[in-house]
Amino acid sequence: MGKLWGGRFSKTTDEMINEFQASIQFDKRMYQEDIAGSIAHATMLAKCGIIPESDTKAIIDGLQGILADIEAGNFSFDVALEDIHMNIEKRLTDRIGEAGGRLHTARSRNDQVALDTHMYVRKETANIAKLVLDMEKALVEVAEKYSDAIMPGYTHLQRAQPILFAHHMLAYFSMLNRDFSRLKGVYERADIMPLGAGALAGTTFPIDRQLVAEQLNFGAVYNNSLDAVSDRDYILEFLSFASIMMMHLSRISEEIILWCSREFSFIELDDAHCTGSSMMPQKKNPDVSELVRGKTGRVIGHLMAMLTTAKGLPLAYNKDLQEDKEGLFDTIDTVKFSLSVYSAMIRAMRVNQELMLKAVREDFSNATDLADYLVKKGLPFRQAHEVSGKSVHYCIEQKKWLMDLTLEEFKQFSPLFEEDILEEIKPETCVANRNSFGGTSYQQVELQIKTAKEIMKNQQAIVDEYDKKIKL
C-alpha cells in the first residue's frame, strides 16, 4: 500500500521506521475530533467554491459512515498509515473514490493534528472541570457534616494549635478552586482554531478560517500560521495544571494515610476504598491515597518531558511534537481517574471526632492561647510567650497538661492569671476565639462554607457553558 505522501519517494519506508514513527496506537482516540474537523473543513471548501458541493456531500456522508464504523468496532487501524488522519482519509478515499482525495485541499497534517489536539484538550478540559467541581463539593459536604469537629493543627508535623476539621478540609477546597482557575486558562488557550495555517505558511486557496471556527465552536483563530502549527503552550499549561492539582491531591493523600493509621486513628476509610493484605489478616490499606500520591510523580514527569521536548525546537513543525500526545493522554486519564475515586472516598470516610478532640486535650496546642490571655491582661507578648513556655515546661516535669493546672499553679508564673484561665484554654474556646477573617473559628468556617458554595455555583455555570461549546 502506497503512502499518501509517497510521490516524491523512490523507495518504500522501512517497516521498522513505519512502526517507530507511527502514532496511531495512541492518537486513534482523537477520531471524533478528526472527523468533526474534516467535516467542517469540507463544508468550508464547498462554500468557498474550492471543491464541488457534490464532493462535500460525499465526503460528509463517507466520514459519518466511518465514524459509525469506528464506534461499532468495525474499523481496523493500519500502523503503516501512521496516524488517525491518514487512516481515516485512506478509508474515505476507498469508500467514495476521487472525491475523498479532495478533502485534504488547503490543509496539511500539521494544522490538522493541531486542530484535533486543540479540540481534544478543550473537550477533556471541560470534562475535568466537572470532576474538579465534584471534588470541591465532596470537601464542602464533609466540612459541613463535621462542622464542629476539633482536631490538632500541625506545623512541622508537630501539634501546633486547635483547629476545626472543616477548616482543614476547606484549605483543600481553596487549592482546588485555584486549580479550577488554572483549568479555565487551559480551556481559553485550547479554544483557538489552527486549521488553515497549512504546513506553516497558510495556503494559496481562498479559504474562510472563521467559518471553520464557527462550525467547531472555537472562540478565536490563530493569527500567525507559524505559531498555529508549532504552539503547544496549551498542552504545557494543561500538564502544569495537572501537576499542581495532583500535587494537591498528593498532599491530602499523605494526610489521609497518616490519619487512618493506628497511630492517629483520626479517620476511617470505607472498606470499598481500601484493600487488605495477602499475609496479614488485620490490615486495611489506604491504597487509593497511596496510588494517587504515586501517580503524582508520573504526571509531573510528563510535564518535565514536554518542557524538555519543546525547549529546543525551531519553527515551525518538527516530528518531535508527536511526543506531546502520549504524556498528555496518560495525564488526562490519570487526572480523571484520581479525581473520580477521591471524591467518592472523601464522601464515604468516617471522622473520629472524639479521638481528635482527645488528642487536642492531651497536648500543649493551647499554649499560644495561654500567652494571648496574658497579652489581653496587659503583658507584652514576648514576656507572655516566656510565661507560657515556662508553664509548659512545668507541666512536662509534673506530667500534666495545661488544663490540669490549678489557679495557684498558674499564679506561680504570673499574677495576671485569674479563674477564667481554664475556660480560655479549652479547645472549644481556642477555636472560637480565632475569629479573624479566614481563621478557624466556627463563625469564620461557616462563612468559608457559604463562600465556597457561591464559588461552586459560578463554576457550575462555567461547566455548563463548556458543555454547550464542546458539543459538535
Side-chain angles (χ1 to χ4, degrees), residues 103-155:
L103 174 60
H104 210 56
T105 306
R107 74 174 181 184
S108 162
R109 276 194 297 171
N110 294 358
D111 59 346
Q112 187 179 359
V113 67
L115 175 68
D116 290 3
T117 311
H118 271 273
M119 291 171 67
Y120 189 80
V121 170
R122 187 178 63 169
K123 177 181 75 177
E124 292 299 348
T125 295
N127 291 333
I128 290 168
K130 296 177 193 174
L131 297 174
V132 173
L133 177 55
D134 190 54
M135 178 68 179
E136 290 175 327
K137 288 177 180 176
L139 291 167
V140 172
E141 286 167 20
V142 171
E144 282 193 295
K145 183 178 180 180
Y146 297 102
S147 60
D148 60 345
I150 298 175
M151 67 175 292
Y154 293 83
T155 63

Side-chain angles (χ1 to χ4, degrees), residues 42-78:
T43 301
M44 178 274 294
L45 291 176
K47 286 186 179 296
C48 293
I50 298 170
I51 67 172
E53 288 276 1
S54 57
D55 283 351
T56 289
K57 184 179 185 309
I59 288 169
I60 292 173
D61 289 345
L63 288 170
Q64 289 173 341
I66 290 170
L67 177 62
D69 287 346
I70 293 174
E71 294 188 334
N74 297 326
F75 190 103
S76 296
F77 295 99
D78 186 352

Side-chain angles (χ1 to χ4, degrees), residues 87-351:
N87 267 266
I88 289 175
E89 185 176 337
K90 177 65 168 59
R91 180 65 65 89
L92 178 68
T93 304
D94 290 346
R95 178 172 289 193
I96 68 171
E98 188 176 283
R102 293 196 173 94
L103 174 60
H104 210 56
T105 306
R107 74 174 181 184
S108 162
R109 276 194 297 171
N110 294 358
D111 59 346
Q112 187 179 359
V113 67
L115 175 68
D116 290 3
T117 311
H118 271 273
M119 291 171 67
Y120 189 80
V121 170
R122 187 178 63 169
K123 177 181 75 177
E124 292 299 348
T125 295
N127 291 333
I128 290 168
K130 296 177 193 174
L131 297 174
V132 173
L133 177 55
D134 190 54
M135 178 68 179
E136 290 175 327
K137 288 177 180 176
L139 291 167
V140 172
E141 286 167 20
V142 171
E144 282 193 295
K145 183 178 180 180
Y146 297 102
S147 60
D148 60 345
I150 298 175
M151 67 175 292
Y154 293 83
T155 63
H156 308 278
L157 207 54
Q158 303 294 312
R159 293 183 190 175
Q161 293 177 336
I163 62 170
L164 288 176
F165 174 79
H167 191 59
H168 201 111
M169 291 294 99
L170 291 170
Y172 284 104
F173 172 87
S174 295
M175 296 179 206
L176 286 168
N177 180 32
R178 293 193 294 273
D179 293 331
F180 191 97
S181 296
R182 278 183 277 271
L183 198 55
K184 285 169 56 183
V186 175
Y187 186 94
E188 182 181 339
R189 252 72 71 190
D191 195 29
I192 309 173
M193 209 278 296
L195 199 67
L200 76 162
T203 177
T204 60
F205 293 95
I207 61 173
D208 185 344
R209 298 182 67 203
Q210 194 61 47
L211 175 60
V212 176
E214 288 170 4
Q215 291 182 77
L216 299 174
N217 297 327
F218 274 99
V221 177
Y222 277 95
N223 61 11
N224 183 288
S225 59
L226 287 167
D227 187 40
V229 296
S230 64
D231 175 31
R232 296 299 184 272
D233 287 1
Y234 63 103
I235 293 177
L236 286 165
E237 284 188 74
F238 177 82
L239 294 173
S240 178
F241 145 77
S243 296
I244 295 171
M245 193 214 69
M246 288 295 292
M247 176 269 292
H248 291 152
L249 292 187
S250 185
R251 291 183 72 181
I252 194 171
S253 292
E254 178 68 14
E255 295 196 304
I256 284 174
I257 290 163
L258 289 171
W259 291 348
C260 68
S261 68
R262 179 68 175 171
E263 285 70 20
F264 280 77
S265 296
F266 286 176
I267 65 169
E268 183 176 357
L269 299 177
D270 191 84
D271 287 357
H273 302 122
C274 297
T275 64
S277 165
S278 61
M279 184 180 191
M280 296 164 283
Q282 82 282 7
K283 295 293 294 299
K284 184 175 178 180
N285 299 324
D287 283 17
V288 168
S289 293
E290 290 172 351
L291 280 169
V292 168
R293 185 176 60 180
K295 288 177 185 293
T296 298
R298 177 165 145 185
V299 169
I300 292 170
H302 290 319
L303 171 61
M304 294 301 105
M306 189 59 205
L307 284 167
T308 305
T309 296
K311 75 173 183 66
L313 296 183
L315 292 176
Y317 181 81
N318 298 272
K319 192 71 169 181
D320 313 49
L321 290 175
Q322 182 173 292
E323 290 298 305
D324 63 357
K325 292 176 194 63
E326 286 182 273
L328 169 66
F329 296 158
D330 182 65
T331 297
I332 287 170
D333 294 344
T334 300
V335 164
K336 288 169 72 176
F337 183 76
S338 297
L339 284 168
S340 297
V341 297
Y342 234 95
S343 296
M345 188 185 75
I346 289 289
R347 285 185 170 101
M349 73 179 181
R350 184 181 67 82
V351 174

Side-chain angles (χ1 to χ4, degrees), residues 415-468:
L416 295 175
F417 285 118
E418 297 177 9
E419 290 202 12
D420 59 347
I421 181 57
L422 289 179
E423 185 63 35
E424 286 297 305
I425 61 174
K426 283 183 178 178
E428 295 84 354
T429 309
C430 296
V431 166
N433 285 345
R434 284 185 162 74
N435 200 34
S436 56
F437 181 76
T440 193
S441 73
Y442 302 98
Q443 184 178 339
Q444 288 299 318
V445 167
E446 184 180 347
L447 178 61
Q448 288 174 45
I449 289 173
K450 181 180 177 182
T451 302
K453 288 180 177 180
E454 285 298 317
I455 289 170
M456 291 189 295
K457 183 178 177 181
N458 292 332
Q459 290 175 344
Q460 185 64 58
I462 292 168
V463 166
D464 292 343
E465 186 62 26
Y466 287 168
D467 269 348
K468 294 177 187 175

